[in-house]
């Protein structure tokens, strides 16, 4: 309907002037400059007109400079929408920004850099008018390449084809520039008088709900703060890496581990961070990076499961890290208060009070905006660098007053003594490493605000790696210098100078005339005993305190900004629906104020605990878990060999990244084994939760790429292996039509193929080719999604063919891949064959012959109520869509295109939806969230007109295989040996949970005088096949003549299809047989009389023995091709299977599918 309205609109808008197509309808020339100007007189509305497509007809004037001029005149006159819109609106008129008019002809693409923000609706079909986009006086016009003289120069005439250009590859019309949409293939290729495809999206690159929403939102780019690599990444990372450790703990680590091992500790930490830095750089340069830092990088490369797990704990870790750094700051302040004797209450409560006040101030700075926060960071960095300089200068000024405290200036003796380790108080190399490692974290501080960087792709690698280098050099420098100047133990007592020469002088202090031997009992100075060594050494001690304040506050500030940004990105992706409220941003920078508040509350909570020795290792482990996953992401993406993995940063190696990931996991255990286990449990728990919830996102992750690669490699490996009877699996091609039209057929076959064999749902579209092609592409995605949502392990395979037989042949020959191809054709029984056109019956029976020709087995499934519920679905879906939304715009009536609309709907091949009686079908929403379960409500009160009894029974029957089957029988009538498929299918059905209580009963034919012998022989065979059975019945009376009334009923059924050639002249009979090959000849009827009687007799026996069975599996009679007419064969199947429980008529391809050999 939409299409029709648009056509009418276009016809009204089409100009009466003659169109002059040239160059196969691509080139359009205006009759002169006047056409454009006089366009307004044609009654065309100003502003863009919604047309069938997105492309323009351009007025190409003879003179080179004229197009831009003309359009400029037109737009200045307010007639921006004038121009000729030919060919039923397939081309759109350009809207040209006046500022872009005098652009140089050489620029490809054109358009001014400020203007041109465009919003696309309806998947990019309509361009919003500029008034609806911006209510302020800003005018943004749509501007496409076609006006540009670049095209004329390149190709000599104005072509509709677009030249390569970055705007075609954008996801959204965000502040980076407009998203332009290249012509779809249909628009270039389809015949001119027909409508093109509605949407031109390829490979699902657009059309995601997020993409659509973003495409309509165009933020105003003025006033947004973006940082370069120094301010945004380098400064942040350096501040975050240089923490309290630098001033308080580094000297103690040198004392414990010695200079040599301290450098090793720093080196090991640096190796881990450098590898992670390289990995971060690789991911950050593989495409445009949005806000969300580590979470964004991991989720977009490994998928939402890992991303969601890490995003949550990483945001939480950053929030708690705020508390950790603030408490570090408060402790230092309390130390100073204690020295001066000005404590407020007691140490613990003072830490809480100072911490709470500090975190409120930090929150104020953060909320004031990123610009303020960045300025604060620069000030803190300056203080920090001054403090480090202060220490370095201090090392060169050895004062006598400091010598008793163990500081002697650079001395080789001290260096030699402090080079080796001297672990005390049960410290070990790894415990010292665990204490130092948190000082090396913080390398993601820059990446975490990736959304606020001007160019994250170049800023993150440069800033992060340079920060790691600078901070490592400073750590090593300070470790070496403090180890060369200060002895491990000193008394601080000035009287300990040595007056007389000692004979056994071994320590460096002794050689420097100081006797600190009394320190065996414990001293307060020296590397081992005094955490404030750096203040003692420095030239001006208060600067070191300022440095400590600066280091802690800057790290706290960086974490306070990172946590909400990461959390906001996580919430925007809607991975945890409960947190949706935190996705909202405020102001020009889209600041996550709600996230700031949450982070503040978490931090405040942990500050009030004030015992951070417990929390610190967990935080370190959370950070390490994210480092491990970033490294793993790079390894995984490289391993998956996805063509989309091509980072601009080349200095990474997949194996080094893997080593980095393993190192991170090892370090987690080294730091704290219980915290590591806790982290693993939390990550695993969140991973399982997100996997279970299956968020509706598709980010092209490397997990998908690796899944594809594995599937491809295994399929190829499999195709090199010969089939073996032990590995035989029924791989079924089910002719379902639309999968949701025959749920009973689908569920029954799924019962014996799920996790066992391949299941392909074949759907033959017939009718006009153009219409069918359009349906094929929409149905493919729609029904595959339907199968997945309904937990069907199956593939959907639609084809277009002239008739069902051709379609069936195409599918049997081409469906599948390598060894994974069907070997069994499954069809529903054609229930109303007697009322339908006999040519359709001929087609239906010929499918069996075609299947046997290509060595397929055949399974025919019959339910006495029927299988096809598609005629009930329209009413149901229409109703559910109206319940959802009062406007009926979602409901599109599929118009009946075909002449044979009466064609039977219950045959096993759905005619394409256009060929069924016109039913209402609810079209899917963009994101495919359609109401699929339950397919149909049984509750007849909710329907506008109550279902009649037959339909109600049909509905109940359609769901019968979805329920648990209870204790009943599966009766197997294994009359003919077809290789064992008739026995294998019921066995496979009983292995499923719903059917596990059912018992198999086997029925075989035999002679009356040998019944016991036949039963024993069959029991032996079944036990050799290791198939459990509850009973074996040998039927000795199969060949008894059936009852007279049943024979009479059969003859009455076939009467309309007989040829009666004996009553006609030879020529007339021959002509009739030629025209209607399905007719039954008298000769044929006589020839196959015993076979006919056998089918009737079997039906009597089935009713006698198996009327209570849950399901019957029986050998399918085979008709010789060319000898048995379709009508007779159909009549046999009808006579055999009527008025019974669900029955499967099975015929294998007569190759063994069972074996008793091991």
């Amino acid at each position: 309907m939409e299409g029709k309205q648009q056509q009418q609109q276009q016809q009204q808008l089409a100009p009466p002037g003659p169109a002059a197509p040239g160059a196969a309808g691509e080139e359009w020339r205006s009759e002169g400059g006047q056409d454009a100007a006089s366009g307004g007189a044609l009654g065309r509305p100003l502003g863009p007109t919604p047309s069938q497509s997105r492309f323009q007809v351009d007025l190409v004037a003879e003179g080179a400079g004229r197009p831009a001029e003309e359009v400029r005149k037109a737009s200045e006159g307010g007639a921006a929408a004038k121009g000729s819109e030919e060919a039923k609106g397939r081309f759109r008129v350009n809207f040209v920004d006046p500022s872009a008019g005098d652009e140089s002809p050489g620029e490809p693409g054109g358009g001014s850099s400020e203007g041109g923000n465009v919003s696309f609706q309806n998947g990019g079909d309509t361009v919003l008018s500029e008034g609806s986009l911006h209510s302020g006086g800003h005018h943004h016009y749509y501007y496409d390449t076609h006006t540009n003289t670049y095209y004329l120069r390149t190709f000599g005439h104005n072509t509709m084809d677009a030249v390569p250009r970055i705007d075609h590859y954008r996801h959204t019309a965000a502040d980076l520039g407009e998203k332009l949409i290249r012509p779809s293939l249909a628009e270039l290729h389809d015949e001119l008088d027909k409508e093109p495809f509605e949407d031109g999206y390829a490979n699902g690159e657009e059309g995601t709900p997020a993409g659509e929403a973003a495409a309509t939102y165009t933020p105003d780019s003025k006033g947004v703060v973006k940082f370069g690599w120094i301010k945004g990444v380098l400064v942040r990372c350096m501040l975050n890496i240089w923490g309290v450790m630098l001033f308080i703990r580094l000297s103690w680590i040198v004392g414990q581990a010695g200079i040599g091992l301290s450098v090793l500790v720093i080196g090991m930490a640096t190796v881990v961070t450098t590898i992670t830095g390289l990995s971060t750089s690789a991911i950050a340069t593989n495409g445009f990076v949005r806000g969300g830092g580590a979470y964004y990088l991991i989720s977009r490369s490994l998928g939402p499961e890992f991303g969601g797990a890490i995003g949550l704990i990483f945001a939480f870790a950053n929030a708690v890290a705020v508390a950790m750094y603030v408490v570090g700051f408060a402790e230092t302040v309390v130390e100073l208060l204690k020295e001066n004797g000005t404590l407020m209450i007691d140490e613990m409560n003072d830490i809480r009070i100072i911490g709470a006040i500090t975190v409120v101030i930090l929150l104020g700075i953060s909320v004031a905006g990123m610009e303020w926060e960045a300025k604060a960071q620069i000030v803190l960095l300056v203080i920090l660098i001054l403090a480090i300089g202060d220490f370095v200068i201090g090392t060169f000024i050895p004062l006598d007053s400091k010598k008793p405290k163990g500081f002697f200036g650079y001395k080789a003796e001290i260096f030699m003594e402090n080079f080796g380790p001297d672990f005390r108080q049960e410290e070990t190399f790894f415990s010292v490493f665990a204490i130092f490692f948190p000082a090396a974290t913080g390398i993601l501080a820059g990446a975490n605000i990736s959304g606020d960087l001007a160019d994250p792709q170049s800023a993150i690698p440069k800033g992060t790696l340079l920060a790691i280098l600078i901070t490592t050099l400073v750590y090593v420098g300070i470790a070496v210098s403090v180890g060369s100047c200060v002895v491990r133990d000193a008394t601080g007592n000035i009287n300990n100078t040595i007056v007389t020469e000692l004979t056994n002088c071994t320590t460096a202090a002794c050689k420097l005339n100081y006797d600190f031997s009394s320190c065996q009992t414990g001293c307060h100075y020296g590397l081992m005993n005094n955490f404030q060594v750096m203040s003692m050494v420095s030239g001006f001690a208060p600067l070191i305190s300022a440095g400590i304040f600066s280091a802690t506050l800057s790290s706290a500030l960086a974490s306070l900004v990172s946590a909400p940004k990461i959390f906001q990105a996580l919430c925007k992706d809607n991975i945890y629906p409960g947190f949706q409220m935190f996705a909202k941003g405020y102001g020009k920078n889209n600041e996550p104020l709600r996230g700031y508040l949450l982070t503040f509350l978490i931090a405040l909570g942990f500050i009030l605990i004030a015992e951070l020795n417990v929390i610190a290792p967990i935080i370190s482990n959370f950070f390490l878990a994210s480092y491990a996953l970033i490294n793993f992401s790079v390894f995984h993406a490289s391993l998956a060999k996805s063509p989309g993995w091509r980072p601009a940063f080349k200095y990474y190696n997949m194996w080094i990244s893997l080593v980095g990931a393993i190192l991170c996991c090892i370090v987690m255990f080294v730091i704290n084994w219980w915290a590591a286990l806790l982290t693993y449990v939390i990550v695993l728990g969140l991973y399982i939760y997100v996997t279970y919830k299956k968020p509706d996102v598709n980010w092209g992750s490397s997990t998908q790429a690796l899944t594809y690669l594995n599937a491809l490699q295994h399929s190829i490996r499999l195709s090199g292996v010969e089939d073996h009877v032990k590995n035989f699996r029924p791989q079924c091609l089910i002719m379902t039509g639309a999968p949701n039209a025959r749920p009973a057929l689908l569920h029954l076959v799924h019962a014996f193929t799920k996790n066992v064999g391949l299941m392909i749902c074949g759907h033959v579209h017939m009718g006009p080719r153009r219409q069918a092609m359009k349906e094929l592409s929409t149905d493919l995605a729609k029904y595959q999604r339907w199968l997945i949502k309904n937990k069907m392990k199956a593939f959907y395979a639609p084809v277009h063919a002239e008739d069902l037989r051709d379609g069936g042949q195409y599918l049997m020959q081409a469906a599948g891949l390598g060894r994974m191809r069907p070997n069994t054709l499954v069809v529903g029984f054609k229930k109303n064959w007697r009322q339908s056109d006999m040519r359709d019956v001929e087609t239906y029976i010929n499918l069996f012959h075609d299947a046997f020709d290509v060595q397929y087995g055949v399974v025919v499934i019959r339910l006495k109520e029927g299988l096809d519920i598609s005629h009930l679905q329209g009413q149901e879906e229409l109703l559910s869509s109206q319940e959802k939304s009062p406007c009926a715009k979602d409901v599109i009536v599929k118009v009946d295109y075909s002449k044979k609309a009466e064609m039977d709907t219950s045959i096993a091949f759905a005619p394409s939806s256009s060929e069924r009686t016109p039913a209402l079908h609810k079209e899917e929403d963009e994101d495919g969230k359609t109401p699929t379960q339950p397919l149909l409500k049984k509750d007849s009160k909710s329907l506008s007109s109550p279902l009649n009894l037959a339909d109600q029974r049909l509905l109940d029957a359609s769901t019968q295989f979805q329920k648990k089957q209870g204790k009943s029988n599966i009766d197997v009538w294994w009359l003919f040996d077809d290789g064992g498929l008739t026995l294998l299918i019921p066995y496979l059905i009983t292995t499923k949970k719903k059917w596990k209580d059912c018992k198999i009963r086997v029925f075989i034919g035999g002679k009356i005088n040998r019944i016991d012998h036949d039963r024993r022989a069959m029991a032996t065979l079944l036990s050799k096949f290791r198939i459990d059975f509850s009973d074996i019945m040998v039927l000795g009376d199969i060949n008894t003549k059936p009852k007279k009334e049943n024979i009479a009923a059969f003859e009455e059924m076939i009467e309309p299809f007989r040829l009666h050639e004996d009553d006609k002249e030879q020529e007339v009979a021959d002509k009739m047989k030629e025209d209607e090959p399905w007719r039954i000849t008298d000769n044929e009827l006589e020839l196959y009389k015993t076979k006919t009687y056998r089918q009737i007799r079997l039906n009597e026996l089935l009713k006698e023995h198996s009327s209570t069975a849950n399901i019957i599996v029986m050998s399918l009679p085979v008709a010789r091709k060319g000898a048995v007419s379709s009508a007779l064969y159909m009549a046999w199947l009808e006579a055999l299977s009527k008025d019974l429980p669900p029955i499967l008529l099975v015929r294998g391809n007569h190759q063994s599918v069972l074996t008793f050999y091991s």
Side-chain angles (χ1 to χ4, degrees):
M1 283 165 73
E2 284 179 33
K4 280 188 181 171
Q5 284 170 7
Q6 286 187 335
Q7 272 183 340
Q8 286 162 10
Q9 231 174 349
Q10 287 147 13
Q11 281 157 7
Q12 289 163 16
L13 300 175
E26 284 184 346
E27 181 179 355
W28 305 80
R29 298 187 184 281
S30 68
E31 304 292 308
Q34 294 309 310
D35 268 12
S38 63
L42 302 174
R44 182 174 306 167
L46 293 182
T49 52
S51 73
Q52 192 62 28
S53 101
R54 307 172 287 272
F55 295 95
Q56 293 83 357
V57 173
D58 295 310
L59 311 174
V60 181
E62 271 64 26
R66 278 171 66 188
E69 253 175 41
E70 277 174 20
V71 188
R72 196 183 318 135
K73 279 179 196 160
S75 58
E76 279 166 2
K82 297 167 191 166
S84 51
E85 198 171 329
E86 311 281 356
K88 290 197 182 168
R90 281 170 44 77
F91 302 99
R92 163 161 304 138
V93 182
N94 292 303
F95 303 100
V96 183
D97 191 338
S99 65
D102 33 41
E103 169 197 328
S104 66
E107 277 186 11
S112 64
S113 54
E114 309 92 59
N117 277 349
V118 152
S119 173
F120 294 94
Q121 282 182 322
N122 318 336
D125 259 8
T126 321
V127 177
L128 288 183
S129 66
E130 58 277 11
S132 65
L133 254 182
H134 294 273
S135 46
H138 310 289
H139 286 287
H140 295 278
Y141 294 89
Y142 182 79
Y143 183 70
D144 201 323
T145 46
H146 298 288
T147 352
N148 210 296
T149 45
Y150 174 75
Y151 273 76
L152 303 186
R153 263 193 355 196
T154 312
F155 298 108
H157 68 271
N158 195 1
T159 168
M160 214 185 124
D161 240 343
V163 292
R165 166 169 184 192
I166 192 169
D167 297 318
H168 295 141
Y169 294 89
R170 293 192 193 288
H171 267 305
T172 61
D175 48 347
L176 299 162
E178 343 167 342
K179 156 98 173 148
L180 296 182
I181 299 175
R182 68 179 76 78
S184 72
L185 194 56
E187 279 161 326
L188 292 176
H189 170 252
D190 278 9
E191 299 162 41
L192 266 178
D193 57 340
K194 306 257 176 71
E195 296 172 26
F197 280 83
E198 268 92 31
D199 55 352
Y201 296 136
N203 300 336
E205 80 179 38
E206 199 65 59
T208 54
E212 299 291 288
T216 52
Y217 168 66
T218 20
D220 198 354
S221 57
K222 292 191 184 93
V224 175
V225 182
K226 295 285 183 189
F227 303 117
W229 71 274
I230 294 179
K231 210 172 178 184
V233 184
L234 182 69
V235 169
R236 260 164 217 289
C237 288
M238 280 163 55
L239 280 169
N240 229 3
I241 295 170
W242 282 331
V244 196
M245 295 295 169
L246 180 64
F247 297 106
I248 300 180
R249 289 284 186 279
L250 192 58
S251 56
W252 176 84
I253 289 170
V254 173
Q256 289 279 1
I259 295 171
L261 289 184
S262 297
V263 172
L264 184 64
V265 163
I266 297 167
M268 280 169 59
T270 306
V271 166
V272 175
T273 54
T274 306
I275 294 175
T276 309
L278 294 171
S279 300
T280 309
S281 305
I283 301 178
T285 58
N286 188 48
F288 176 68
V289 179
R290 287 200 175 87
Y295 158 71
Y296 186 87
L297 298 179
I298 293 171
S299 64
R300 293 312 186 269
S301 40
L302 283 180
E305 296 85 5
F306 275 123
I310 277 300
L312 205 55
I313 67 163
F314 196 65
F316 179 73
N318 270 301
V320 180
V322 175
M324 194 166 81
Y325 294 129
V326 168
V327 170
F329 165 75
E331 276 179 356
T332 315
V333 175
V334 170
E335 282 289 318
L336 290 174
L337 290 176
K338 205 164 80 176
E339 279 174 25
N340 301 324
T342 52
L343 280 177
M344 290 180 275
I345 305 165
D346 55 42
E347 276 190 51
M348 191 62 98
N349 286 319
D350 279 14
I351 288 174
R352 288 173 182 155
I353 293 164
I354 293 164
I357 295 167
T358 311
V359 82
V360 170
I361 294 166
L362 291 179
L363 179 71
I365 294 174
S366 309
V367 173
M370 291 294 285
E371 188 61 29
W372 281 95
E373 191 263 349
K375 282 174 183 160
Q377 295 280 30
I378 296 275
V379 172
L380 292 171
L381 182 70
V382 170
I383 296 172
L384 200 60
I385 291 171
L386 285 175
I388 294 170
D390 176 36
F391 164 78
V392 173
I393 291 164
T395 57
F396 292 102
I397 319 171
L399 296 172
D400 285 346
S401 62
K402 291 182 184 175
K403 283 184 180 175
K405 295 181 178 177
F407 170 53
F408 294 95
Y410 290 101
K411 297 280 188 250
E413 298 96 319
I414 299 178
F415 179 82
M416 293 309 292
E417 183 178 88
N418 287 346
F419 193 80
D422 179 13
F423 293 114
R424 301 181 195 170
Q425 293 140 4
E426 297 180 4
E427 296 290 349
T428 62
F429 175 75
F430 287 114
S431 69
V432 169
F433 176 74
I435 287 165
F436 174 76
F437 190 83
T441 57
I443 57 165
L444 293 181
N448 285 342
I449 58 152
S450 51
D452 295 293
L453 299 175
D455 179 11
Q457 286 198 351
S458 73
I460 291 174
K462 270 198 293 197
T464 307
L465 294 172
L466 194 58
I468 292 173
L469 179 69
I470 293 171
T471 51
T472 304
L473 290 176
V474 170
Y475 274 137
V476 171
I478 289 179
V480 172
S481 65
V482 83
S484 314
C485 299
V486 185
V487 292
R488 281 194 168 107
D489 298 292
T491 54
N493 188 344
I494 200 148
N495 301 328
N496 284 11
T497 47
I498 302 171
V499 185
T500 57
E501 278 294 319
L502 285 176
T503 49
N504 56 350
C505 200
T506 52
T507 61
C510 172
K511 289 173 187 163
L512 296 166
N513 299 334
Y514 272 84
D515 175 18
F516 294 144
S517 53
S518 59
C519 277
Q520 261 48 24
T521 54
C523 295
H524 292 293
Y525 292 98
L527 293 176
M528 298 295 256
N529 312 310
N530 182 8
F531 286 152
Q532 303 289 341
V533 167
M534 299 235 343
S535 337
M536 186 260 295
V537 171
S538 66
F540 181 61
L543 245 183
I544 296 291
S545 297
I548 293 173
F549 295 165
S550 154
T552 48
L553 291 179
S554 64
S555 298
L557 199 52
S559 299
L560 185 57
V561 171
S562 298
K565 295 273 183 190
I566 295 163
F567 195 53
Q568 182 186 30
L570 180 71
C571 297
K572 271 186 181 165
D573 289 333
N574 202 13
I575 287 175
Y576 302 105
F579 296 144
Q580 193 56 38
M581 57 179 289
F582 292 103
K584 187 170 168 50
Y586 297 86
K588 285 177 181 164
N589 270 20
N590 203 18
E591 294 284 353
L593 296 187
R594 293 172 180 181
Y596 279 128
L597 204 60
L598 182 70
T599 307
F600 166 73
L601 292 173
I602 293 172
L604 195 60
F606 279 103
I607 286 166
L608 296 180
I609 295 172
E611 267 300 323
L612 279 174
N613 291 351
V614 182
I615 287 139
I618 300 178
I619 301 309
S620 297
N621 273 337
F622 279 3
F623 282 129
L624 274 165
S626 35
Y627 292 177
L629 276 181
I630 287 179
N631 285 317
F632 183 69
S633 300
V634 171
F635 169 73
H636 201 268
S638 307
L639 188 69
K641 300 187 177 73
S642 167
W645 172 251
R646 20 175 219 282
F649 182 83
K650 296 291 180 224
Y651 307 103
Y652 72 94
N653 177 287
M654 61 186 280
W655 299 109
I656 289 178
S657 293
L658 180 64
V659 168
I662 294 166
L663 280 176
C664 288
C665 295
I666 294 169
V667 171
M668 283 168 76
F669 275 100
V670 165
I671 288 179
N672 189 316
W673 65 267
W674 61 262
L677 287 176
L678 184 69
T679 309
Y680 284 137
V681 168
I682 292 172
V683 172
L684 196 64
L686 291 170
Y687 178 87
I688 291 166
Y689 169 80
V690 179
T691 310
Y692 173 72
K693 293 295 277 186
K694 286 198 179 65
D696 190 15
V697 291
N698 179 6
W699 294 322
S701 65
S702 61
T703 316
Q704 290 170 331
L706 197 62
T707 307
Y708 173 83
L709 193 68
N710 286 340
L712 185 66
Q713 287 170 344
H714 285 113
S715 305
I716 291 167
R717 198 176 305 157
L718 195 63
S719 60
V721 180
E722 282 300 314
D723 281 332
H724 190 282
V725 63
K726 278 198 295 190
N727 289 332
F728 174 85
R729 295 159 185 272
Q731 312 214 74
C732 299
L733 169 63
I734 325 178
M735 304 304 269
T736 53
N740 56 4
R742 294 176 176 74
L745 186 66
L746 212 61
H747 284 102
L748 186 52
V749 177
H750 197 241
F752 63 85
T753 59
K754 182 188 177 188
N755 296 335
V756 174
L758 179 71
M759 174 166 154
I760 294 180
C761 300
H763 185 176
V764 181
H765 287 261
M766 294 170 298
R769 183 171 184 279
R770 184 190 184 81
Q771 173 66 19
M773 284 302 167
K774 201 182 279 191
E775 278 178 12
L776 280 184
S777 56
T778 54
D779 283 1
L780 187 60
K782 184 166 93 179
Y783 288 128
Q784 191 61 55
R785 232 179 357 226
W786 185 89
L787 288 167
I788 291 165
K789 273 199 172 151
N790 286 277
K791 298 189 168 59
M792 289 281 158
K793 299 193 173 178
F795 297 97
Y796 172 70
V799 290
H800 172 253
E802 289 305 312
D803 64 21
L804 286 164
R805 186 179 183 185
D806 284 353
Q809 285 179 340
Y810 299 159
L811 284 166
M812 283 187 273
Q813 290 173 55
L817 189 71
R819 283 263 170 268
M820 292 168 63
R821 13 187 48 165
N823 51 26
T824 309
L825 177 73
V826 182
V827 294
F829 181 74
K830 191 171 174 62
K831 189 180 170 214
N832 60 347
W833 64 277
R834 281 179 283 175
Q835 289 80 44
S836 52
D837 186 338
M838 284 308 287
R839 278 176 303 219
D840 295 337
V841 177
E842 178 87 353
T843 305
Y844 177 73
I845 295 300
N846 279 333
L847 262 158
F848 296 13
H849 296 313
D850 294 339
F852 290 136
D853 285 346
V854 291
Q855 292 291 298
Y856 270 52
V858 172
V859 178
V860 182
I861 297 179
R862 178 171 190 178
L863 270 61
K864 57 173 175 275
E865 298 86 357
L867 291 164
D868 189 352
I869 61 165
S870 55
H871 57 292
L872 305 176
Q873 261 172 305
Q875 190 181 14
E876 182 72 29
E877 291 194 359
L878 171 59
L879 209 94
S880 64
S881 73
Q882 283 169 343
E883 282 165 15
K884 267 175 58 197
S885 62
C887 54
K889 67 169 192 286
D890 293 350
V891 181
I892 293 170
V893 179
K894 292 253 172 115
V895 186
D896 179 18
Y897 286 92
S898 81
K899 300 184 183 91
K900 20 178 203 182
E902 285 72 51
M903 187 169 171
D904 148 51
T905 53
S906 74
I907 64 165
F909 313 76
S912 70
S913 48
S914 59
E915 293 213 303
R916 286 200 210 109
T917 37
L920 282 165
H921 281 265
K922 184 181 170 301
E923 291 295 303
E924 298 217 27
D925 309 337
E926 276 299 302
D927 52 356
K929 288 179 183 150
T930 43
T932 53
Q933 237 166 348
L935 195 72
L936 291 157
K937 300 190 204 104
K938 293 200 196 64
D939 169 26
S940 54
K941 276 176 265 177
S942 67
L943 293 174
S944 45
S945 57
L947 293 173
N948 61 36
L949 197 59
D951 282 347
Q952 189 57 52
R953 278 190 186 142
L954 173 59
L955 264 187
D956 293 343
S958 73
T959 59
Q960 67 184 7
F961 300 125
Q962 297 172 40
K963 307 184 189 88
K964 192 158 173 53
Q965 296 301 313
K967 289 187 172 159
S968 59
N969 294 318
I970 296 178
D971 286 358
V972 182
W973 290 63
W974 195 16
L975 306 177
F976 310 106
D977 192 346
D978 59 351
L981 189 63
T982 314
L983 193 59
L984 181 62
I985 286 176
Y987 164 72
L988 290 172
I989 289 175
T990 57
T991 60
K992 296 297 180 283
K993 199 161 64 178
K994 289 190 180 102
W995 297 82
K996 71 175 191 302
D997 296 334
C998 295
K999 298 276 185 283
I1000 293 178
R1001 293 195 304 181
V1002 181
F1003 294 78
I1004 54 169
K1007 291 197 175 71
I1008 290 202
N1009 55 357
R1010 295 183 53 194
I1011 283 181
D1012 277 351
H1013 175 269
D1014 289 345
R1015 182 185 284 124
R1016 278 199 300 275
M1018 179 49 76
T1020 309
L1021 182 60
L1022 290 177
S1023 61
K1024 284 248 175 77
F1025 284 147
R1026 304 169 306 287
I1027 288 175
D1028 292 330
F1029 57 93
S1030 65
D1031 196 7
I1032 295 174
M1033 293 189 70
V1034 183
L1035 305 164
D1037 49 354
I1038 287 181
N1039 289 330
T1040 315
K1041 196 173 176 190
K1043 293 175 187 161
K1044 282 202 175 76
E1045 60 267 31
N1046 290 340
I1047 296 175
F1050 182 82
E1051 283 173 350
E1052 187 188 327
M1053 174 171 71
I1054 63 170
E1055 184 57 41
F1057 311 116
R1058 289 185 59 180
L1059 184 61
H1060 292 296
E1061 74 267 30
D1062 295 352
D1063 305 344
K1064 298 187 175 70
E1065 289 178 20
Q1066 183 70 34
E1067 281 181 19
V1068 176
D1070 289 351
K1071 178 85 172 71
M1072 204 166 167
K1073 181 69 180 165
E1074 197 178 309
D1075 292 346
E1076 299 177 337
W1078 41 265
R1079 286 204 177 268
I1080 305 168
T1081 63
D1082 299 347
N1083 180 27
E1084 172 189 12
L1085 205 54
E1086 191 56 42
L1087 192 61
Y1088 291 110
K1089 190 173 187 176
T1090 52
K1091 195 159 183 176
T1092 303
Y1093 284 178
R1094 190 193 305 138
Q1095 311 311 326
I1096 302 169
R1097 176 66 186 145
L1098 280 171
N1099 183 258
E1100 291 172 4
L1101 289 168
L1102 281 162
K1103 283 178 181 161
E1104 184 186 327
H1105 295 288
S1106 295
S1107 56
T1108 59
N1110 248 19
I1111 191 167
I1112 301 167
V1113 182
M1114 185 169 199
S1115 299
L1116 172 76
V1118 177
R1120 190 171 294 284
K1121 203 166 36 170
V1124 180
S1125 59
S1126 303
L1128 181 59
Y1129 189 33
M1130 202 69 214
W1132 285 351
L1133 298 182
E1134 173 73 41
L1136 175 64
S1137 61
K1138 69 178 181 192
D1139 304 328
L1140 288 169
I1143 181 165
L1144 279 77
L1145 299 172
V1146 179
R1147 176 65 70 153
N1149 63 359
H1150 286 250
Q1151 289 169 356
S1152 297
V1153 301
L1154 296 170
T1155 180
F1156 46 79
Y1157 294 110
S1158 59

